[in-house]
Amino acid sequence: MTSLCVVYGAGGHGKVIAEILAACGQKVECFIDDKVSGTEVISLPVYPAAEWLFSHPDGRVALGIGDNVARERAAVRAQQAGCAILTVVHPAAVIARSARIKEGAAIMPGAVLNPDCEIGEGAIINTGAIVEHDVRIGRFAHLSPKSAAGGGAQIGAYAHIGMGASVLPLKRIGARCVIGGGSVVISDIPEHQTAYGIPAKVHSS
Ligand SMILES: CC(C)(COP(=O)(O)OP(=O)(O)OC[C@H]1O[C@@H](n2cnc3c(N)ncnc32)[C@H](O)[C@@H]1OP(=O)(O)O)[C@@H](O)C(=O)NCCC(=O)NCCS
């Protein structure tokens, strides 16, 4: 018998992940969530995460949490319970044959992954985002909708690139950075900074 498939996180991102799984022909049993339970989200029941993981060590878990650090925490919990972490790729994403996608990543509709790029564990490539050739996306990072990373750019672990932001080719975004929506990054940004504007400038640490 095939093990059950669930989405960890019943918020907005979780709903999107559930729809992608459905588009892939995958039956989703329920959401599991630490904060919301006993209700329904897009007609699926929501159960408490800890109990569900404990009673389904053979479960398959898709990561449905948008916050980068919380998403990693969920992945660790699910793995510690014995569950498998799903990699979720929408059929309408365009993915080069040489692109590498690591476990737990989510690739949304309209995203483009060009040759020899690498998408780290648990990373999100959101709707219509562009990952150019040779880009490295760190683990549990997030490229928001319509954002773009130019050829050879490096996006650090847990970094969040805002909606519609562009990172020019070969530029490096440090781990845990936040890049504001609509920004254009023309120089390297050190880790743990918030930067925004055109050109993007660091505004806090
Ligand atoms: C950059 C960001 C993190 C800053 O958030 P914040 O620290 O709460 O900043 P505030 O909203 O308090 O704004 C502070 C100042 O920065 C400006 N600012 C904020 N975001 C900006 C952006 N993306 N581009 C240009 N200016 C921006 C504000 O206008 C404000 O200017 P002021 O001081 O002259 O009034 C946030 O605005 C942002 O862009 N987040 C990305 C959201 C996103 O794309 N989510 C995707 C979900 S899928």
Side-chain angles (χ1 to χ4, degrees), residues 126 142 144-145 160-163 178-183 194-197:
N126 220 314
H142 179 182
S144 295
H160 182 197
I161 310 301
M163 289 185 73
V178 177
I179 305 299
S183 302
T194 297
Y196 51 82

Side-chain angles (χ1 to χ4, degrees), residues 93-101 112-118 131:
V94 177
I95 298 176
R97 290 165 297 172
S98 58
R100 295 181 295 281
I101 304 173
V112 177
L113 272 53
N114 268 333
D116 286 328
C117 70
E118 183 173 292
V131 179

Side-chain angles (χ1 to χ4, degrees), residues 66-111:
D67 178 81
N68 291 338
V69 173
R71 186 167 65 261
E72 182 185 40
R73 210 179 299 128
V76 169
R77 268 181 99 186
Q79 282 166 328
Q80 285 173 344
C83 294
I85 304 295
L86 294 176
T87 303
V88 177
V89 180
H90 194 281
V94 177
I95 298 176
R97 290 165 297 172
S98 58
R100 295 181 295 281
I101 304 173
K102 296 201 171 170
E103 183 178 86
I107 315 297
M108 305 282 181

